[in-house]
Each structure stands twice: as C-alpha cells, then as structure tokens.
Amino acid sequence: TRLRQVATNLIGNAIKFTEVGEVCLQVHLESEEPTHAVLRCEVTDTGIGIPESRRGRIFRSFSQVDASTTRRYGGTGLGLAISKQLAELMGGAIGFESQEGKASRFWFTVRLEKQASQAAATGRPPESIHGARVLVVDDNETNRLVLRQQLRSWGCLSEESAGAVEGLTKLRAAAAAGMPFQLALLDLQMPEVDGESLLEEILADTAIKDTPLVVLTSLGDSETANRLRDKGAVAVLSKPVKQSHLHNCLMDAMGAAPAPSTPSVPAAPAPETAPATKRRLLVAEDNRTNQLVIRTILAKNGYEVKIASTGLEVLELVEASSYDLVLMDVQMPEMDGLEATTELRRREEGTGRHLPIVAMTAHAMKGDREECLEAGMDDYVSKPIQPLELLQALNRILGSDPSPG
C-alpha cells in the first residue's frame, strides 16, 4: 500500500505537469543482500521542470513550484511531503533531478525482504514462437524498448522502425528476401502516417498482405478497435501492453494455442442494479487519463457521459442542459470542485431542484470527506477510482429506476 501511494503520487505529478512528450516509470535493482533487496523506482517526465530557487522546499508540506501552480494545475503540495515520509518508513529515501522547462526525474528507494528461493515459474519459450521474426513500428523510443525486451525474453528476433514509411520498407525488403516478418506491431498514433493508414497500405500490397498485424493504441475505445479489426488487424491491444496479451498474439500468429494467462485479480463484480435507461452524468475532471478511465467505467455500465475540465465549465454545462448527477473532482484549475459545488447550490436556492454531486478526490486525510459534504456534495469516492466503489456510490444515489423528469 505504501509503495502504491508513493508511485501513484509521483506518476500523477508527472502526468499533471507534462503536456507534451512522455512519462516513464522504471524500476532497477540498486543493491542486494542475502535476505533483502533495495529497489530504485524512477519516474521521468518531459514536463515543466522545477526552478532552481524552489528545489530546496519541494518536499515541504503545502509547497508548490510557484504561486500560480495551484490555480493552473490543482493540488495542495502535500503529496511529495507525504511521499518522503512513506519512503523513509520503507527504509528508503527520495530525491529528484530537474531541468527547468524541460524535464524532471523523481526517484525513491525501498528495502524489501526477499521471498524464499523458488524455482523459476516459466521455462524456455515454446518452440512455436522461439525465433519468430517480429517488426515493431512505433515513433516512441521508450515503447520500442519495452516491446524489444518482451520479445527478446521469448527468443523472438525483433526489428524496429520509428515511422510508417520505414516500417513499410522493411516489410517489403524482408518479403523480397524470402524472410517475411511473421508478425508486425503497429502503433496507432504516429506522426505523418498513422498506424491505421499503414495497416491499409500493408493489406493493399500483395507481397506483404498476409503478415499478421497487431495495432497498439492508447485510445482504448471499442469503436476504434472494432474498426481496425474490420479492416484486417488480427488484434488491437491497449497500451501499456500486457505481456500475456502480446504473448497470446504471437502464439496465435504462429498457429499455436495461446498459453494460459497468469492469474490476475478478479474483476470487480457488477453492481447489484444497473440503470434501466441511460442516465446522463457530467464528469468534472481535468486530467485526460482520469477522464478516459472514468468514461470507460461508466460507458460499460450503461451511463451517458459528458466531460468538463474545470469548475467554470461545469457551471456552463449545467446551465445549458440537464444531468442526473455530477462526478466532481475536488482539485481542478480555475475553479475547484468545492467552489463549483458551492455555486451550484447557491443557484438552486428557492428552485426546489437538487443536482446530486459525488466528490472524487485523492485526499485521504481526516476531515476531507466532511469538507466535501459541507460544501453541498452528496457522496464521496477516493482516487485512484475503483470501479466497484464508484458504481456503488452511483447506485446509492440514483438507484435502479430512471430519475423523474
């Protein structure tokens, strides 16, 4: 739990302050003893960086990079101070390096007790994929690195291309040499020529059209996945790609039965009641990743979703249309969730209306729930959002029957 809290905070900060580029999490073995090991976890971003003048106080409570940070990005400045305490409780330390306006790397170490020695759970990769020739087409170097390591761990022979044009050239050259690739992994979001266009070009070329094609995407929506499959992709995998899913794609492409997946945590059970008709929910959340996660959870359970990125946008949307409930992030730029809720309740005075509002917050301190309820919110769910907890909160307020009007 402590490990998750620190990692989530550092990754969340990196995403919050990175508008262009990438966020990368890496874990290294820093040192080892007979009974313990020290791991070093690093979160690197290409964000706004930290000014030299502010670096000495970055781990203090309620400290922000500058006076405008809270307004523009949200947050209280408590996260890093708490992360420092947790890292030290785990027998480790925390620190960072940064270039203002360019990038930051936050790291923390943790000392963990080793498990009893056990035989390796997996042996040699099946002969069916050992030696398989795979082409990876992705403009992102980190993505190519991850896929390269996964493929090589199974004995595959991988090649890489940083763009669609180069990838197409390699596919044609390999086919002409009598050594065609047995699988191609295509990133969907690439500059100049995207993965969908590359897919179409490959399938239109008789020399390489029989190459099994897997599309990798960060979008995660079923409409895009169905369209790509209809066009000829053998599979569409969401990033970050799970090793078991990629392994099964390889096994299928080589004509072998897929290996059983490693047991995972069971999915949260469906709520006891589901909406009989689609209810309209307004989700107030400024983080794009969180927007996607929440939208996916709600859409899968029959809700119609509209997204707002600021408290001011919430007020405008509620004024212009009707919603059954608002999921309100507490930390948002321009106008936060507490301010937006207070204003909505002021506008409802004397009208007889009451729009249900459920707070979403990463705050976990005593009194935070009470503060949300005092502002006029009806319920509270914590971040990171857990599907079952969210759906139960919606059912508590909306029930199973459509809202009147």
Side-chain angles (χ1 to χ4, degrees):
T1 300
R2 291 173 178 172
L3 187 64
R4 184 188 301 115
Q5 283 180 278
V6 179
T8 299
N9 180 258
L10 297 187
I11 294 169
N13 283 345
I15 293 171
K16 182 191 299 184
F17 295 114
T18 302
E19 294 184 3
V20 177
E22 68 178 12
V23 172
C24 182
L25 169 66
Q26 293 181 301
V27 184
H28 310 280
L29 177 65
E30 185 167 89
S31 63
E32 189 174 7
E33 305 167 11
T35 58
H36 289 77
V38 176
L39 300 184
R40 179 183 174 98
C41 305
E42 297 183 353
V43 178
T44 307
D45 64 54
T46 54
I48 63 174
I50 301 169
E52 185 73 38
S53 60
R54 302 291 297 182
R55 295 179 188 178
R57 65 184 76 177
I58 200 71
F59 291 110
R60 298 180 190 173
S61 298
F62 305 105
S63 175
Q64 294 281 1
V65 171
D66 60 52
S68 65
T69 300
T70 299
R71 260 320 193 207
R72 183 176 176 188
Y73 296 100
T76 62
L78 269 175
L80 287 175
I82 294 172
S83 294
K84 182 176 185 295
Q85 295 175 19
L86 292 175
E88 291 171 351
L89 282 170
M90 292 186 288
I94 194 169
F96 71 96
E97 302 93 40
S98 183
Q99 290 179 282
E100 185 175 358
K102 292 185 178 180
S104 296
R105 175 185 287 109
F106 277 80
W107 58 267
F108 70 97
T109 56
V110 54
R111 186 171 183 266
L112 301 174
E113 186 176 356
K114 290 182 180 180
Q115 292 179 312
S117 178
Q118 295 178 355
T122 57
R124 178 182 171 85
E127 291 297 330
S128 55
I129 64 172
H130 188 80
R133 301 189 69 241
V134 182
L135 178 65
V136 177
V137 186
D138 195 317
D139 62 300
N140 184 282
E141 184 178 355
T142 302
N143 290 341
R144 296 198 303 271
L145 171 64
V146 171
L147 291 168
R148 181 196 314 146
Q149 292 176 339
Q150 290 182 359
L151 291 167
R152 289 183 179 176
S153 72
W154 301 321
C156 298
L157 305 175
S158 65
E159 291 189 35
E160 300 165 22
S161 298
V165 174
E166 182 187 357
L168 199 57
T169 300
K170 287 193 173 186
L171 282 167
R172 287 169 174 163
M179 298 179 63
F181 286 99
Q182 292 157 291
L183 186 73
L185 305 175
L186 315 178
D187 179 36
L188 181 61
Q189 294 86 34
M190 291 189 292
E192 299 178 6
V193 180
D194 63 22
E196 186 168 355
S197 300
L198 176 58
L199 174 80
E200 293 169 351
E201 287 200 55
I202 293 171
L203 295 173
D205 189 326
T206 55
I208 55 176
K209 67 181 181 65
D210 293 328
T211 308
L213 305 174
V214 175
V215 180
L216 313 179
T217 174
S218 302
L219 298 179
D221 64 289
S222 57
E223 183 178 340
T224 299
N226 291 335
R227 184 177 71 249
L228 292 168
R229 291 191 191 96
D230 289 342
K231 288 188 174 184
V234 298
V236 179
L237 302 182
S238 296
K239 293 181 179 178
V241 178
K242 290 187 177 180
Q243 283 184 293
S244 60
H245 294 172
L246 179 58
H247 183 272
N248 286 348
C249 281
L250 275 168
M251 297 287 283
D252 288 342
M254 300 301 105
S261 300
T262 302
S264 57
V265 178
E272 293 179 5
T273 56
T277 60
K278 280 198 173 184
R279 298 179 184 274
R280 301 191 70 225
L281 304 188
L282 178 58
V283 175
E285 169 62 66
D286 62 302
N287 182 281
R288 290 182 182 180
T289 303
N290 291 343
Q291 289 173 2
L292 177 60
V293 170
I294 297 167
R295 182 193 290 275
T296 301
I297 294 170
L298 296 176
K300 284 182 177 178
N301 286 274
Y303 293 100
E304 182 180 329
V305 181
K306 180 72 175 177
I307 300 292
S309 297
T310 72
L312 291 175
E313 191 176 349
V314 170
L315 299 181
E316 293 172 1
L317 290 171
V318 170
E319 191 73 23
S321 186
S322 61
Y323 297 92
D324 294 300
L325 183 141
V326 178
L327 285 167
M328 186 82 78
D329 182 30
V330 172
Q331 295 85 35
M332 289 188 293
E334 296 182 6
M335 175 184 282
D336 65 29
L338 296 174
E339 294 172 314
T341 300
T342 301
E343 176 60 21
L344 285 172
R345 295 301 182 229
R346 187 192 67 79
R347 295 183 183 186
E348 289 176 342
E349 289 178 2
T351 65
R353 297 195 305 267
H354 181 88
L355 176 62
I357 300 174
V358 175
M360 301 184 296
T361 176
H363 285 183
M365 299 179 66
K366 185 178 180 180
D368 290 326
R369 179 185 178 90
E370 288 72 18
E371 185 179 15
C372 292
L373 298 178
E374 286 174 7
M377 297 179 176
D378 299 273
D379 210 333
Y380 171 110
V381 293
S382 59
K383 290 183 177 180
I385 296 297
Q386 301 298 319
L388 181 58
E389 182 186 1
L390 175 60
L391 296 172
Q392 287 176 335
L394 297 180
N395 282 337
R396 281 196 298 271
I397 295 174
L398 298 176
S400 58
D401 298 321
S403 298

